[in-house]
């Protein structure tokens, strides 16, 4: 954001106190500073930054002395690294708004990096990494710029917090709120390149929005152009450029934008999405700008922000390709695109969805047939003992229903096709009914449902058993008719593979009963249920040991001492993982092969709790949560991922006991697409 500040030549609007607060955060200096003598009410000197903020919160009445004392006692008992202010936040005694208010009222209280860490927006590791990068560049990029460039913070969030830290107003400018006569007095090209937008004037001076108000040279030039003292405001660079672009169009000036056209921009976005293994691309209109996010490994990741005009042009381009009505902006629409990448010699099938919001149309592109690898059954992440039992008691038996269950995006289709690939051989006939066909497998008869030509799911199921199949693959059990078809096919000597949408394995059995399928038919045909989820894997390039927090342990029903002997890992964040700490995904599986006791419980219509207890006892079921904890204990994923994605239907058993049940470690497995 421009040259470094010095006390010798600060901008005329900035006090020395604000100048000191604006310098890049130095952890070594921060740890050496002592708390203010005015800090009181039990605030301790070893927590310098948190102590200052807590003292200010006390003075403002945002927290009480009794809350601080209680937080201090809790701090002494906590084993994880956390500040006094962090404890108060966990207690919900103070929120982000209160912290931001005291920082805005006292812009010299902390430096920007300290502020971000105490607010919980970024970690200390994020700040240290950014500072190291800035040092290697000799300070050419500021802390905030590096955090945005590495997608740790969005540009919009950065400016919100930077405005608090500097005590400046943050604006989202547009052409209607700008005095156009001021724009006629400045060099528009220079403003575009420098991130400067004159907004209005009054008796005190000229209010000017800057992308970087700390750049002294830019502030001086703006003052010279306008001939008035500068009253700076903060605005994102994308919003400034969008407003300048609107002014150009209004006065019919040639647009000298650095942004590429919509055709080139869309081509670039699709290529980058393919290179990074993206499943969905989100183009979202915001106030004064458009945001592009990718869904990578099941999580949303900031990709870039573009000018609003380019965002609108991208949506129009996508509508043309998808066959949607380009003039209709008041109704939701959808379409499909066969997107050709000539230099790569491939065509990508994309499903486009246009959703009307208050700021414009949000567009989501789902990359349907991304280049993917059909995984063998022994590479999807099933532990060896569970895999062997699943193969022997479910896949290798001649008849019966095998159900793969889980929510949307949990990897069910990948597992289903791995089972089909395992069973595929010249001496068996495999027929499928899918919506749509996602993997093409040589040697089997695959049918893709097409409602437009009356090739419906129900119609296909009526004909599929007449094809003399040995194995029937149903893309999904949707209703009672498809459930009946699967059960009846198994009763007549076929093997049926299908997917279901339930929370866990036992839930699938109960849902079949709720579909009015007779219990004796369920117990006699269902040979296995596999419940699954996908968890993000720890990035191997930045993995480091860490200890679960007391809150994590409490949620899981463990004490800190129960997990003390286990070395968990998390990713610090690096360029290889887009600073998320995760790269790739691993499947977590709950394999239920019903034994006689479980089948008897189904026949007697026992409760979910009773069937699950029997499954965990006699059938040797290891739950999804327990499987996930074992993967976390092996350093494959993290405890927060386990807590976030896996259902806690029953408290997990001690990890040592679960490991004995699992027979061996769960580490390993291939990245799921």
């Amino acid at each position: 954001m421009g040259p470094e500040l010095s006390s010798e030549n600060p901008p005329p609007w900035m006090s020395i106190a604000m100048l000191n607060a604006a310098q890049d955060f130095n952890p070594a200096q921060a740890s050496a500073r002592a708390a203010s003598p005015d800090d009181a009410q039990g605030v301790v000197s070893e927590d310098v930054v948190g102590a200052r903020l807590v003292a200010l919160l006390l003075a403002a009445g945002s927290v009480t002395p009794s809350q601080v004392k209680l937080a201090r006692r809790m701090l002494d008992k906590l084993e994880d690294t956390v500040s006094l202010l962090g404890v108060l936040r966990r207690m919900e005694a103070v929120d982000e708004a209160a912290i931001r208010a005291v920082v805005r009222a006292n812009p010299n209280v902390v430096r920007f990096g300290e502020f971000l860490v105490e607010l919980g927006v970024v970690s200390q590791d994020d700040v240290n990494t950014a500072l190291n990068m800035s040092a290697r560049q000799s300070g050419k990029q500021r802390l905030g710029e590096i955090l945005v460039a590495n997608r740790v913070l969005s540009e919009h969030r950065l400016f919100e917090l930077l405005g608090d830290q500097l005590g400046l107003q943050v604006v989202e400018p547009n052409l209607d709120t700008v005095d156009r006569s001021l724009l006629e007095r400045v060099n528009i090209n220079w403003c575009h390149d420098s991130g400067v937008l004159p907004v209005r004037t009054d008796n005190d001076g000229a209010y000017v929005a800057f992308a970087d108000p700390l750049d002294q040279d830019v502030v001086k030039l703006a003052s010279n152009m306008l001939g008035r003292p500068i009253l700076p405001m903060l605005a994102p660079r994308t919003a400034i450029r969008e407003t300048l672009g609107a002014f150009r169009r209004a006065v019919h000036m040639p647009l000298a934008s650095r942004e590429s056209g919509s055709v080139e921009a869309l081509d670039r976005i699709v290529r980058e999405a393919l290179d990074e293994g993206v499943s969905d691309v989100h183009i979202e209109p915001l106030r004064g700008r458009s945001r592009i996010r990718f869904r990578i490994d099941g999580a949303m990741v900031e990709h870039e922000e573009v000018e609003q005009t380019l965002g609108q042009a991208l949506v129009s381009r996508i509508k043309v390709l998808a066959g949607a009505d380009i003039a209709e902006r008041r109704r939701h629409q959808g379409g499909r695109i066969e997107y050709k990448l000539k230099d790569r010699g491939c065509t990508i099938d994309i499903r486009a969805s246009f959703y009307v919001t208050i700021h414009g149309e949000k567009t989501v592109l789902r990359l349907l047939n991304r280049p993917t690898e059909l995984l063998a059954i022994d590479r999807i992440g099933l532990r060896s003992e569970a895999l062997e039992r699943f193969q022997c008691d479910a896949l290798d038996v001649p008849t019966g229903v095998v159900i793969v269950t889980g929510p949307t995006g949990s990897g069910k289709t990948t597992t289903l096709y791995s089972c089909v690939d395992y069973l595929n051989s010249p001496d068996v006939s495999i027929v499928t009914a899918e919506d749509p066909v996602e993997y093409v497998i040589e040697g089997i008869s695959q049918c893709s449902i097409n409602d437009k030509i009356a090739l419906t799911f129900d119609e296909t199921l009526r004909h599929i058993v007449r094809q003399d199949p040995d194995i029937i693959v149903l893309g999904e059990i949707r209703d009672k008719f498809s459930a009946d078809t699967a059960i009846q096919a198994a009763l007549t000597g076929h093997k049926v593979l299908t997917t279901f949408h339930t929370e866990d394995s036992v839930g699938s059995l109960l849902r079949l009963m709720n579909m009015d399928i007779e219990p004796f038919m369920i117990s006699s045909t269902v040979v296995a249920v596999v419940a699954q989820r996908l968890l993000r894997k720890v990035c191997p390039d930045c993995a480091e040991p860490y200890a679960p927090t007391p809150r994590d342990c409490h949620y899981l029903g463990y004490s800190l001492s129960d997990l003390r002997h286990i070395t968990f890992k998390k990713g610090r964040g690096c360029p290889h993982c887009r600073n998320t700490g995760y790269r790739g995904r691993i499947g977590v599986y709950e394999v239920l092969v019903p034994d006689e006791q479980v089948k008897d419980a189904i026949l007697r219509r026992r409760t979910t709790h009773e069937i699950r207890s029997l499954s965990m006892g006699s059938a040797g079921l290891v739950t999804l949560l327990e499987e996930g904890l074992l993967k976390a204990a092996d350093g494959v994923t993290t405890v927060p991922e386990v807590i976030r994605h896996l259902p806690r239907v029953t408290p997990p058993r001690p990890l040592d006991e679960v490991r004995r049940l699992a027979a061996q470690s769960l580490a390993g497995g291939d990245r799921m697409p």
Side-chain angles (χ1 to χ4, degrees):
M1 288 188 180
E4 291 297 320
L5 293 176
S6 69
S7 57
E8 298 176 358
N9 190 25
W13 51 270
M14 180 175 285
S15 67
I16 294 298
M18 291 178 68
L19 174 67
N20 292 335
Q23 303 295 329
D24 281 340
F25 170 49
N26 186 315
Q29 295 174 1
S31 62
R33 289 196 300 267
S36 167
D38 296 332
D39 292 352
Q41 307 293 348
V43 179
V44 293
S45 60
E46 63 267 20
D47 175 20
V48 179
V49 180
R52 286 201 181 117
L53 292 175
V54 171
L56 289 169
L57 289 166
L58 279 166
S62 299
V63 294
T64 64
S66 60
Q67 288 174 323
V68 175
K69 289 179 181 178
L70 176 59
R72 184 68 184 90
R73 290 198 298 270
M74 293 177 63
L75 182 64
D76 292 337
K77 296 179 181 179
L78 290 176
E79 298 186 16
D80 56 333
T81 303
V82 66
S83 68
L84 182 62
L85 182 58
V87 176
L88 285 167
R89 294 189 68 207
R90 289 185 183 183
M91 293 168 51
E92 299 182 354
V94 65
D95 58 13
E96 178 180 305
I99 299 171
R100 290 177 60 180
V102 298
V103 170
R104 175 171 282 275
N106 302 272
N108 63 330
V109 66
V110 290
R111 303 190 183 198
F112 191 52
E114 298 170 330
F115 177 38
L116 295 179
V117 172
E118 286 295 335
L119 205 59
V121 175
V122 301
S123 69
Q124 186 65 63
D125 288 339
D126 292 329
V127 172
N128 292 340
T129 300
L131 289 172
N132 290 335
M133 293 174 66
S134 178
R136 289 195 296 270
Q137 300 168 6
S138 301
K140 292 181 180 179
Q141 277 190 305
R142 295 187 186 276
L143 174 66
E145 276 187 316
I146 294 173
L147 292 174
V148 171
N150 287 282
R151 300 180 178 90
V152 179
L153 274 180
S154 70
E155 183 187 37
H156 186 71
R157 180 70 159 152
L158 168 69
F159 277 87
E160 278 186 340
L161 300 177
L162 191 59
D164 292 334
Q165 195 262 346
L166 293 177
L168 295 178
Q169 180 185 0
V170 180
V171 294
E172 288 279 358
N174 60 66
L175 196 57
D176 295 333
T177 61
V178 170
D179 184 348
R180 298 192 185 192
S181 65
L182 294 178
L183 296 180
E184 295 171 355
R185 297 166 56 184
V186 296
N187 184 316
I188 296 297
N189 287 336
W190 176 82
C191 288
H192 180 277
D193 293 339
S194 302
V196 176
L197 180 68
V199 177
R200 66 180 188 277
T201 60
D202 62 16
N203 294 333
D204 296 325
Y207 290 86
V208 180
F210 293 92
D212 180 11
L214 304 182
D215 190 325
Q216 303 167 64
D217 295 336
V218 169
V219 173
K220 285 181 179 179
L221 282 171
S223 180
N224 292 337
M225 284 184 183
L226 296 170
R228 303 289 300 275
I230 295 297
L231 301 171
M233 299 184 292
L234 274 172
R237 192 177 297 272
T238 51
I240 290 174
R241 289 181 172 178
E242 166 63 26
T243 305
L244 293 171
F247 176 71
R248 287 177 185 276
R249 292 189 296 275
V251 297
H252 306 292
M253 294 175 63
L255 180 61
S257 174
R258 290 181 179 176
E259 299 288 355
S260 58
S262 61
V263 175
E264 292 79 6
L266 179 60
D267 192 58
R268 172 180 57 81
I269 291 168
V270 171
R271 290 170 188 274
E272 291 172 352
L274 290 174
D275 291 340
E276 298 191 35
V278 172
S279 61
D280 300 86
V281 176
H282 291 237
I283 304 173
E284 302 164 303
L286 304 176
R287 185 177 298 172
R289 67 194 191 282
S290 293
R291 177 176 64 178
I292 298 174
R293 292 193 292 170
F294 287 169
R295 186 174 293 280
I296 302 175
D297 296 333
M300 295 296 293
V301 176
E302 294 271 0
H303 184 64
E304 64 178 310
E305 290 186 351
V306 299
E307 298 177 19
Q308 192 175 49
T309 50
L310 179 60
Q312 293 170 346
L314 280 171
V315 173
S316 297
R317 171 65 178 164
I318 294 168
K319 279 187 170 182
V320 171
L321 295 175
D325 185 352
I326 193 171
E328 179 58 74
R329 297 183 178 181
R330 298 171 299 172
R331 300 177 62 186
H332 310 310
Q333 297 187 72
R336 298 180 86 97
I337 306 170
E338 289 188 355
Y339 200 88
K340 296 182 179 180
L341 295 172
K342 295 181 180 179
D343 61 331
R344 300 193 184 189
C346 65
T347 300
I348 307 301
D349 189 17
I350 298 175
R351 185 173 67 203
S353 173
F354 308 95
Y355 188 82
V356 180
T357 74
I358 58 173
H359 294 305
E361 291 174 288
K362 175 186 175 183
T363 302
V364 175
L365 304 178
R366 169 152 289 186
L367 311 185
L368 292 175
N369 58 345
R370 307 180 312 280
T372 54
E373 176 189 2
L374 180 62
L375 296 180
I377 191 69
D378 59 352
R379 294 179 56 205
I380 62 174
L382 271 168
R383 56 186 168 85
S384 299
E385 183 274 341
L387 174 61
E388 183 178 355
R389 186 177 185 192
F390 180 55
Q391 288 174 321
C392 294
D393 296 344
L395 296 182
D396 291 341
V397 297
T399 63
V401 179
V402 176
I403 299 173
V404 183
T405 187
T408 301
S410 60
K412 298 187 301 296
T413 301
T414 298
T415 300
L416 184 70
Y417 277 99
S418 296
C419 295
V420 173
D421 182 62
Y422 172 79
L423 295 169
N424 187 23
S425 66
D427 58 347
V428 296
S429 170
I430 303 178
V431 183
T432 78
E434 307 167 67
D435 186 16
V437 171
E438 295 188 34
Y439 295 79
V440 177
I441 303 177
E442 187 71 24
I444 71 175
S445 303
Q446 296 176 266
C447 174
S448 191
I449 304 302
N450 187 346
D451 291 334
K452 292 182 179 180
I453 59 171
L455 186 62
T456 64
F457 197 69
D458 290 357
E459 181 70 13
T460 301
L461 294 186
R462 291 187 178 93
H463 286 80
I464 198 169
V465 292
R466 304 172 191 169
Q467 285 294 304
D468 186 30
D470 297 301
I471 299 171
I472 296 173
V473 180
L474 305 182
E476 179 186 351
I477 290 181
R478 301 180 173 184
D479 48 29
K480 187 178 187 302
F481 177 73
S482 54
D484 274 332
T485 301
I487 296 294
Q488 291 295 335
L491 287 173
T492 54
H494 301 89
K495 174 178 286 297
V496 180
L497 306 178
T498 188
T499 67
F500 216 5
H501 287 272
T502 57
E503 188 176 46
D504 65 348
S505 57
V506 176
S508 294
L509 303 176
L510 271 295
R511 189 177 174 196
L512 286 174
M513 284 192 273
N514 290 336
M515 287 181 168
D516 294 328
I517 306 296
E518 290 296 332
F520 78 89
M521 298 177 71
I522 298 171
S523 64
S524 60
T525 57
V526 176
V527 294
V529 183
V530 179
Q532 72 177 83
R533 299 290 192 279
L534 293 178
L535 302 184
R536 291 182 293 174
K537 296 169 63 176
V538 175
C539 175
D541 293 295
C542 61
E544 61 184 17
Y546 87 108
T549 66
R551 175 176 290 185
D552 293 341
C553 294
H554 177 73
Y555 175 87
L556 296 171
Y558 293 140
S559 65
L560 286 173
S561 59
D562 292 334
L563 304 177
R564 193 184 303 276
H565 63 290
I566 300 173
T567 301
F568 295 94
K569 290 184 179 181
K570 71 172 182 179
R572 183 179 61 257
C574 67
H576 297 94
C577 59
R578 297 173 65 104
N579 289 285
T580 63
Y582 298 97
R583 192 164 87 236
R585 286 190 289 179
I586 188 72
V588 177
Y589 300 89
E590 177 181 290
V591 181
L592 172 59
V593 178
D595 64 357
E596 292 304 320
Q597 293 189 46
V598 174
K599 291 179 180 180
D600 184 64
I602 295 171
L603 285 171
R604 296 175 181 273
R605 294 182 178 271
R606 297 298 188 189
T607 64
T608 304
H609 176 74
E610 290 176 302
I611 296 176
R612 186 174 290 110
S613 297
L614 284 171
S615 300
M616 294 174 65
S618 64
L621 178 71
V622 177
T623 68
L624 279 169
L625 183 61
E626 292 170 340
E627 293 268 11
L629 285 171
L630 287 178
K631 278 187 165 59
D634 288 331
V636 178
T637 187
T638 64
V639 172
E641 273 291 287
V642 170
I643 292 174
R644 179 185 174 193
H645 292 287
L646 302 185
R648 188 178 181 270
V649 290
T650 58
R653 292 163 286 193
L655 275 182
D656 289 339
E657 179 183 344
V658 175
R659 196 178 290 280
R660 286 194 298 271
L661 289 170
Q664 70 175 58
S665 170
L666 297 183
D670 284 73
R671 176 189 174 120
M672 297 288 283

